[in-house]
Amino acid sequence: MLQTFYPGEYLDSVYQIDFDKLYHEGYRGVIFDIDNTLVPHGAAADAKAERLFAHLKSLGFHCCLLSNNKEPRVKMFNQNIKAYSIFDAHKPGTAGYKKAMRLMKTDAGSTLFVGDQIFTDIWGANRAGIRTILVKPVHPKEEIQIVLKRIPEKLVLHFYARSKAAKAGKQN
């Protein structure tokens, strides 16, 4: 039951992802959540984020921002990034993920999703059949509705960690 919420990978930061390796493996599109995945909630794209997107584009990746936020927020972040973007995405619904793949001309097998929330970001991408990477939030300050979701997320992550440990034990 809980497996539907499990990420493919769980990392400390988006900046730990080996995008060069993923491109070599055949991935061509990356869908990103914005707030607390790439920058603190409401922040503009910083130099680090701009360098990341420049690197992804230099590798040949297509990128799309997928946010439940309103258009002004997404446009502000995307001003220097210049990625595809979808605002008011209604995650965890799958329509936004599918639209992102259409924009990038990719499919579920060649697309990654990176986000910081299990019950919106990861669950939606899993339901769309996309490989998922969960990252820890970049900043502790969050809106109350997100803070409340972090409580059951801890439970899911507990069982996710147990599942990973059990699998690792079987391989040894």
Side-chain angles (χ1 to χ4, degrees):
M1 163 72 185
L2 288 178
Q3 293 87 343
T4 192
F5 299 110
Y6 290 176
E9 294 174 69
Y10 182 35
L11 301 172
D12 286 338
S13 167
V14 68
Y15 301 103
Q16 289 184 323
I17 300 169
D18 187 346
F19 287 106
D20 294 66
K21 180 182 175 205
L22 291 166
Y23 189 85
H24 181 71
E25 291 175 2
Y27 291 95
R28 295 299 181 262
V30 186
I31 305 170
F32 289 97
D33 174 57
I34 299 171
D35 287 320
N36 252 350
T37 297
L38 293 162
V39 293
H41 184 79
D46 57 16
K48 199 171 183 180
E50 290 178 11
R51 284 191 303 272
L52 172 65
F53 280 87
H55 178 67
L56 291 170
K57 290 175 186 179
S58 76
L59 289 173
F61 274 109
H62 299 280
C63 301
C64 186
L65 305 171
L66 185 67
S67 177
N68 283 347
N69 265 304
K70 302 293 180 209
E71 184 177 17
R73 164 66 184 126
V74 176
K75 276 188 169 184
M76 184 259 289
F77 179 85
N78 200 23
Q79 187 173 6
N80 293 332
I81 300 293
K82 309 244 186 287
Y84 294 110
S85 64
I86 300 167
F87 59 90
D88 201 18
H90 300 284
K91 296 180 285 184
T94 60
Y97 299 90
K98 292 174 183 176
K99 181 177 179 181
M101 289 187 283
R102 284 193 305 273
L103 289 170
M104 297 186 300
K105 296 178 177 55
T106 60
D107 59 28
S110 62
T111 304
L112 305 161
F113 178 83
V114 182
D116 71 296
Q117 292 187 58
I118 289 175
F119 297 118
T120 51
D121 297 332
I122 300 304
W123 187 31
N126 283 345
R127 291 173 55 224
I130 300 169
R131 179 176 174 179
T132 57
I133 302 174
L134 177 69
V135 295
K136 292 180 181 173
V138 298
H139 195 275
K141 185 175 188 286
E142 297 182 299
E143 295 176 338
I144 188 64
Q145 71 271 18
I146 296 169
V147 171
L148 295 173
K149 284 191 260 182
R150 296 292 185 199
I151 298 165
E153 278 187 0
K154 287 180 184 174
L155 183 65
V156 172
L157 288 173
H158 168 77
F159 286 104
Y160 168 75
R162 284 182 54 183
S163 169
K164 295 281 282 185
K167 285 180 187 175
K170 286 181 184 178
Q171 292 177 352
N172 292 332

